[in-house]
Amino acid sequence: MSDIRHNAGAAGALAPREYHLAHEPHPENGTSLGFWLYLMSDCLIFAALFATFGVLGRNYAAGPSGKELFDLSLVAINTAFLLLSSITFGFAMLQKQKKNVSGTLTWLAITGVLGLCFLGVELYEFHHLIHQGATPQRSAFLSSFFTLVGTHGLHVTFGLIWLVTLMIQISKHGLIEANVRRINCLSMFWHFLDVVWIGVFTFVYLMGVL
């Protein structure tokens, strides 16, 4: 009898132990809460960059000012691209609610094209400024300008990469729960970039030409 107990104990010791549940619980709205926390941290980053530009935005070091450099008509066109992309993303969300995969992908693709147009105009502006000699190291004004606007442009670039990845996932797996959660997060991110750009357009460009 003791041998049987000994063997049973040995078998129990050698058996694999379960340290986690077979199906880990996923808190409702946990992803959305985590993503909101990320956006709040991004707000702090942009707040610091806006504050830096507010302090350094008039330090031209005898170089060109925003009034001499900025082309408001070009910036207005670029702003229209980004704001239109926010509207088309809204149409994609409506198609998502209808469980229309092809409609969702179509509007996401249009959003991506408008985002690419925005980046193209911004890169053209940067190239034009650098060609004129208005490089980031020319003055504190230009350093803070390139840092703020360039950081926003990087966010748009990452958003486009995310958008393409999400489109591939939707085309393969459809509007499953995970993809719906991802598109909701991307929607918050994209609209956040629009809000930041409105601040850039007003604080950097409009006030810069006054």
Side-chain angles (χ1 to χ4, degrees), residues 18-25:
E18 294 290 339
Y19 291 99
H20 57 84
L21 299 175
H23 299 285
E24 293 290 344

Side-chain angles (χ1 to χ4, degrees), residues 1-126:
M1 189 69 179
S2 61
D3 292 338
I4 295 175
R5 291 178 179 175
H6 176 74
N7 292 335
L14 294 176
R17 298 181 179 180
E18 294 290 339
Y19 291 99
H20 57 84
L21 299 175
H23 299 285
E24 293 290 344
H26 185 80
E28 187 177 357
N29 297 326
T31 301
S32 297
L33 175 60
F35 199 75
W36 272 111
L37 292 176
Y38 158 72
L39 288 181
M40 294 302 101
S41 67
D42 233 10
C43 280
L44 294 178
I45 293 174
F46 279 107
L49 294 177
F50 274 109
T52 302
F53 185 84
V55 173
L56 303 178
R58 300 292 180 179
N59 296 338
Y60 305 124
S65 64
K67 190 173 184 179
E68 298 170 297
L69 295 174
F70 295 153
D71 183 357
L72 277 187
S73 59
L74 183 66
V75 180
I77 293 173
N78 215 21
T79 302
F81 281 140
L82 197 61
L83 295 181
L84 283 175
S85 73
S86 186
I87 295 174
T88 57
F89 207 120
F91 289 147
M93 295 294 288
L94 292 176
Q95 294 300 314
K96 182 262 298 181
Q97 292 178 355
K98 297 178 182 178
K99 303 297 182 182
N100 186 345
V101 174
S102 61
T104 303
L105 289 174
T106 299
W107 285 110
L108 287 179
I110 295 173
T111 301
V113 171
L114 291 171
L116 283 174
C117 291
F118 172 85
L119 282 180
V121 174
E122 188 167 279
L123 289 174
Y124 168 79
E125 180 190 27
F126 281 5

